[in-house]
Amino acid sequence: MVRVFIPDNSVTTGAGCTGLTSSSTNLAIAYSRELQRECRGKRVPPQNLHATLAFLGNTPVDKLDAIRAAAAKVTAPAFDLLIDRPGYWQHNTIAWAGCEVVPADLQRVSDDLRAALASADVKFDAKPFVPHVTLLR
């Protein structure tokens, strides 16, 4: 089993995709420092910050080709994402920053990716899409 990341229409395993501008990354780092003082927890390293479009969890290695093919079917226009909402999921102790209003293009990209993954019989968390950047675990 591996953790899978889909940056820029390619698939990698492990860490290392951001998908965020440097100013967004700097803001996320500042938020995570403040949150750590209040909540404790372990900060996500800057190089691992990313926005999650579909959470796959631990994925069998033999699904990587299907995931690559599904991701290749999705096109993503450039869009602005205003990170203006803090959040905390108590069940898994995740502190995150997200957006109050989801840009239509971002919602479409997530919907398209999830549809492509489902068509490829790739399992993912089907909970409603909540755009966010995990800051503390």
Side-chain angles (χ1 to χ4, degrees):
M1 299 289 216
V2 294
R3 289 193 66 189
V4 178
F5 297 86
I6 307 173
D8 303 322
N9 277 340
S10 60
V11 176
T12 61
T13 57
C17 79
T18 62
L20 302 173
T21 64
S22 59
S23 61
S24 295
T25 299
N26 290 338
L27 185 58
I29 292 168
Y31 281 160
S32 69
R33 284 186 184 131
E34 289 180 38
L35 280 169
Q36 190 174 37
R37 283 193 287 270
E38 297 295 321
C39 307
R40 299 193 184 134
K42 185 177 177 184
R43 287 185 9 219
V44 174
Q47 69 273 16
N48 291 355
L49 293 171
H50 62 278
T52 302
L53 296 172
F55 182 71
L56 305 179
N58 289 326
T59 303
V61 173
D62 65 354
K63 286 290 187 180
L64 288 177
D65 287 338
I67 295 167
R68 283 186 186 100
K73 294 177 183 177
V74 178
T75 58
F79 55 84
D80 292 324
L81 178 63
L82 176 62
I83 302 290
D84 61 353
R85 175 181 168 209
Y88 180 73
W89 288 316
Q90 195 168 27
H91 71 281
N92 57 6
T93 63
I94 300 278
W96 52 272
C99 56
E100 194 67 38
V101 176
V102 180
D105 285 336
L106 176 58
Q107 184 66 57
R108 185 188 55 73
V109 170
S110 177
D111 292 346
D112 290 353
L113 178 60
R114 289 165 175 238
L117 290 168
S119 291
D121 198 30
V122 174
K123 292 182 178 15
F124 59 91
D125 187 339
K127 289 184 196 120
F129 177 51
V130 178
H132 68 282
V133 177
T134 299
L135 301 175
L136 294 177
R137 295 184 175 277

